[in-house]
């Protein structure tokens, strides 16, 4: 049975006679029109999901099932008529008319047409099961990312509270020393105060990032849940009738780090401890950002892009090349220019990011993609407000690099270890421990060295795809 336009597919109908087949088609149409899943429908018809599927696959149901299904799927003003029609079909199915042509095949029986229909349904089952399996993996990844972000928010809130107290204490200490002649103690207090204030700003920035990851994870969680519900229902119809959190590694207290570790004494051990914790918090944010953006990309539809074809220049010329803020952003389609430029205004290294694009989009068959959101209307423009996807035309992979203009960072389709990165001179790249295993290398564009390393890594990823 072919579903209505936009509906989910059903498995083949295994009816004993034409009336039974017509009854199954009628009941399926009511289910389609109601928009309900078999799982949601089962308790309303007082029947298990499996038995509901058997009846909808062509087995003649009991009268009570027909009455309950129509009550659950048809609006009140049409129920009586639809119930009479369905019960009449059931009566015909229970007492089928004799065949008029000897040897004619039974409708829906084991003929060639049914065999083709069954094979097609089985192929759809396999494909749907594969998508359902990936959706379950995506849900686990989203849940892990959300849990990490939740923990990180709590850690950072506590850190900010402690920093507020530390700043207040250092302000009091400094003010007391101001009444005395200039001294080394006063200078030390002022240094610690400036450092604590800067750390508080960093902590608040990381908190904003973590809260954004929370919101993004919640949105993705809803999308994946909807996809799981849709795929589960689709599989039910087709079958009718037949890790440790990265936060665990956050530094402990100052006493744990400096008491027995044999480290060189510091003039500001508490500040050192806070710096280490902030560095780890930033790394967790980076990792979850990469994982969530990758999952978001997987849930988005494939898009078309712009092809650039010239071969790359020698990296040695990078230092002398810069793209004016007034120039078109290289490789970015006209519809995305304004959105990407807005992100670059918040970027820590916009010029380096633009130069990365300028080089990467010169490689043969490289496309720059925005994102077409899953619920976008036909003809809607692509979304460039999050990140860009660099893809080699004709490649079976989603992309060889994901470029984040707002953060001037690049996530690459590489799975190198720390030792492997060091061996090829990518000392400023970092390895990730979360997200899809194929995308485990990321690098921030901070200076000429990082730009050269980012392009070298991007070329490796490009070649591998």
């Amino acid at each position: 049975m072919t579903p209505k336009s936009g509906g989910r597919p059903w498995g083949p109908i295994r009816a004993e006679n034409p009336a039974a087949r017509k009854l199954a088609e009628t009941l399926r149409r009511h289910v389609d029109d109601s928009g309900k899943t078999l799982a949601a429908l089962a308790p309303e018809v007082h029947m298990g999901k499996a038995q509901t599927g058997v009846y909808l696959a062509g087995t003649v149901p009991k009268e009570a099932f027909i009455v309950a299904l129509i009550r659950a799927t048809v609006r009140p003003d049409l129920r009586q008529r639809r119930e009479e029609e369905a019960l009449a079909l059931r009566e015909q199915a229970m007492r089928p008319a004799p065949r008029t042509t000897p040897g004619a095949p039974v409708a829906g029986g084991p003929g060639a047409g049914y065999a083709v229909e069954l094979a097609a349904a089985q192929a759809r089952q396999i494909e749907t099961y594969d998508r359902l399996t990936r959706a379950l993996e995506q849900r686990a990844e989203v849940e892990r990312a959300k849990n990490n972000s939740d923990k990180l928010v709590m850690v950072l809130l506590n850190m900010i509270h402690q920093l507020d107290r530390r700043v207040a204490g250092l302000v009091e200490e400094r003010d007391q020393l101001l009444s005395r002649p200039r001294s080394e103690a006063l200078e030390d207090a002022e240094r610690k105060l400036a450092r604590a204030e800067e750390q508080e700003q960093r902590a608040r920035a990381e908190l904003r990032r973590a809260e954004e990851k929370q919101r993004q994870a919640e949105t993705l969680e809803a999308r994946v849940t909807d996809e799981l519900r849709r795929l589960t229902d689709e599989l039910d119809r087709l079958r009718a009738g037949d890790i440790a959190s990265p936060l665990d590694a956050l530094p402990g207290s100052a006493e744990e780090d400096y008491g027995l570790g044999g480290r060189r004494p510091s003039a500001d051990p508490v500040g050192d401890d806070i710096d280490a914790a902030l560095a780890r918090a930033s790394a967790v944010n980076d990792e979850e950002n990469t994982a969530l953006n990758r999952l978001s990309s997987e849930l988005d539809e494939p898009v078309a892009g712009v092809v650039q074809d010239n071969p790359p220049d020698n990296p040695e010329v990078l230092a002398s090349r810069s793209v004016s803020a007034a120039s078109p952003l290289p490789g970015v389609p006209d519809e995305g220019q304004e959105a990407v430029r807005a992100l670059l205004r918040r970027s820590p290294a916009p010029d380096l990011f633009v130069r990365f694009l300028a080089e990467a989009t010169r490689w043969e068959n490289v496309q720059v993609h925005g994102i077409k959101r899953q619920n976008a209307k036909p003809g809607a423009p692509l979304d460039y407000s999050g990140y860009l996807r660099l893809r080699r035309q004709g490649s079976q992979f989603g992309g060889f690099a994901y470029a984040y203009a707002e953060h001037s960072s690049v996530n690459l389709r590489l799975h190198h270890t720390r030792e492997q990165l060091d061996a090829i001179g990518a000392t400023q790249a970092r390895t990730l421990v979360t997200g899809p295993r194929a995308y485990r290398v990321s690098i921030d564009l901070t200076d000429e060295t990082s730009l050269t390393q980012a392009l070298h890594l991007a070329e490796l990823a490009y070649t591998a795809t």
Side-chain angles (χ1 to χ4, degrees):
M1 174 181 178
T2 302
K4 60 178 182 169
S5 177
R8 303 185 183 101
W10 289 93
I13 292 177
R14 302 171 177 82
E16 296 181 357
N17 54 66
R21 182 178 185 84
K22 179 65 174 176
L23 176 59
E25 290 175 346
T26 299
L27 296 179
R28 284 183 174 190
R29 185 170 62 253
H30 292 327
V31 175
D32 282 335
D33 291 341
S34 73
K36 294 182 178 180
T37 66
L38 294 189
L41 190 63
E44 296 188 60
V45 297
H46 313 293
M47 192 74 63
K49 186 172 65 175
Q51 186 59 43
T52 299
V54 169
Y55 283 155
L56 293 174
T59 299
V60 179
K62 298 178 181 179
E63 286 190 20
F65 174 84
I66 294 175
V67 172
L69 184 139
I70 290 176
R71 183 181 298 115
T73 59
V74 178
R75 68 176 194 258
D77 58 316
L78 295 178
R79 283 176 187 166
Q80 183 175 355
R81 181 185 302 175
R82 298 293 180 259
E83 182 178 317
E84 291 173 354
E85 293 171 351
L87 291 177
L89 286 171
R90 179 181 183 277
E91 184 69 19
Q92 295 176 31
M94 296 293 291
R95 298 178 176 81
R99 301 187 187 118
T100 57
T101 304
V106 177
Y114 175 76
V116 172
E117 185 181 2
L118 179 60
Q122 290 173 338
R124 289 198 301 269
Q125 279 192 44
I126 294 171
E127 191 267 340
T128 301
Y129 181 79
D130 287 342
R131 286 187 288 135
L132 181 61
T133 300
R134 179 56 190 145
L136 289 168
E137 294 172 352
Q138 290 172 332
R139 183 175 66 178
E141 292 180 43
V142 170
E143 288 175 350
R144 182 170 58 249
K146 184 176 182 298
N147 288 338
N148 287 341
S149 293
D150 290 343
K151 292 177 184 178
L152 185 56
V153 166
M154 296 304 298
V155 169
L156 288 167
L157 285 171
N158 181 64
M159 184 184 297
I160 290 170
H161 175 69
Q162 297 296 328
L163 280 167
D164 284 341
R165 294 176 58 185
R166 177 169 167 79
V167 167
L170 288 170
V171 167
E172 183 178 355
E173 180 183 347
R174 181 203 60 186
D175 291 346
Q176 291 176 353
L177 292 170
L178 282 173
S179 60
R180 307 173 189 175
R182 192 75 183 179
S183 64
E184 185 176 341
L186 175 59
E187 293 176 356
D188 182 60
E190 290 176 337
R191 281 194 299 269
K192 289 180 179 179
L193 175 59
R195 185 182 188 186
E197 289 174 337
E198 185 270 338
Q199 289 172 332
E200 184 180 11
Q201 292 178 355
R202 286 167 54 198
R204 292 188 184 280
E206 293 299 338
L207 176 62
R208 288 192 293 271
R209 291 182 65 198
E211 289 173 338
E212 176 58 30
K213 295 310 109 190
Q214 277 184 315
R215 290 189 289 270
Q216 188 178 359
E218 288 169 359
T219 300
L220 286 176
E221 188 174 39
R223 290 177 63 185
V224 172
T225 299
D226 287 344
E227 180 72 358
L228 280 171
R229 187 181 298 113
R230 186 186 70 79
L231 290 171
T232 300
D233 182 49
E234 183 174 325
L235 198 59
D236 288 341
R237 289 163 176 252
L238 291 170
R239 285 175 170 172
D242 41 44
I243 301 187
S245 169
L247 286 170
D248 294 341
L250 278 172
S253 66
E255 288 78 7
E256 294 171 340
D257 283 345
Y258 294 98
L260 299 174
R263 301 182 185 181
R264 181 174 58 83
S266 169
D268 187 13
V270 176
D272 292 342
D273 180 64
I274 293 170
D275 274 342
L278 282 171
R280 184 58 191 151
S282 179
V284 173
N285 263 329
D286 288 341
E287 291 165 3
E288 301 315 321
N289 182 71
T290 299
L292 291 173
N293 280 316
R294 279 290 299 116
L295 287 167
S296 178
S297 177
E298 288 182 10
L299 291 170
D300 291 326
E301 299 175 5
V303 298
V306 176
V307 178
Q308 305 289 336
D309 56 9
N310 294 326
D313 289 344
N314 190 315
E316 293 179 1
V317 306
L318 286 175
S320 62
R321 177 179 289 130
S322 179
V323 179
S324 167
S327 302
L329 299 175
V332 179
D334 291 343
E335 64 181 8
Q337 289 281 327
E338 184 177 349
V340 178
R341 203 176 293 281
L343 294 175
L344 286 173
R345 284 195 285 271
R346 301 193 294 270
S347 170
D351 191 61
L352 293 173
F353 183 85
V354 172
R355 288 163 58 192
F356 174 85
L357 281 184
E359 293 303 315
T361 55
R362 290 173 181 269
W363 301 345
E364 185 176 5
N365 291 334
V366 171
Q367 295 178 328
V368 176
H369 299 263
I371 299 301
K372 185 176 182 181
R373 296 301 178 186
Q374 189 176 31
N375 297 323
K377 296 180 180 179
L382 303 181
D383 182 6
Y384 293 85
S385 62
Y387 55 96
L388 302 175
R389 181 161 60 97
L390 277 66
R391 184 173 182 270
R392 187 174 186 174
Q393 185 181 20
S395 169
Q396 62 179 325
F397 301 105
F400 65 86
Y402 289 83
Y404 302 88
E406 184 174 5
H407 306 295
S408 287
S409 63
V410 184
N411 178 226
L412 300 139
R413 187 181 175 83
L414 295 172
H415 191 210
H416 286 38
T417 63
R418 179 72 264 166
E419 292 74 16
Q420 290 172 322
L421 290 173
D422 291 340
I424 61 175
T427 56
Q428 296 196 32
R430 60 181 177 276
T431 59
L432 306 177
V433 297
T434 60
R437 289 180 59 84
Y439 293 85
R440 289 297 178 86
V441 174
S442 186
I443 185 168
D444 295 328
L445 302 175
T446 57
D447 53 24
E448 298 296 333
T449 300
S450 63
L451 176 58
T452 301
Q453 292 181 12
L455 283 164
H456 178 53
L457 292 170
E459 188 171 8
L460 291 177
Y462 164 85
T463 302
T465 57

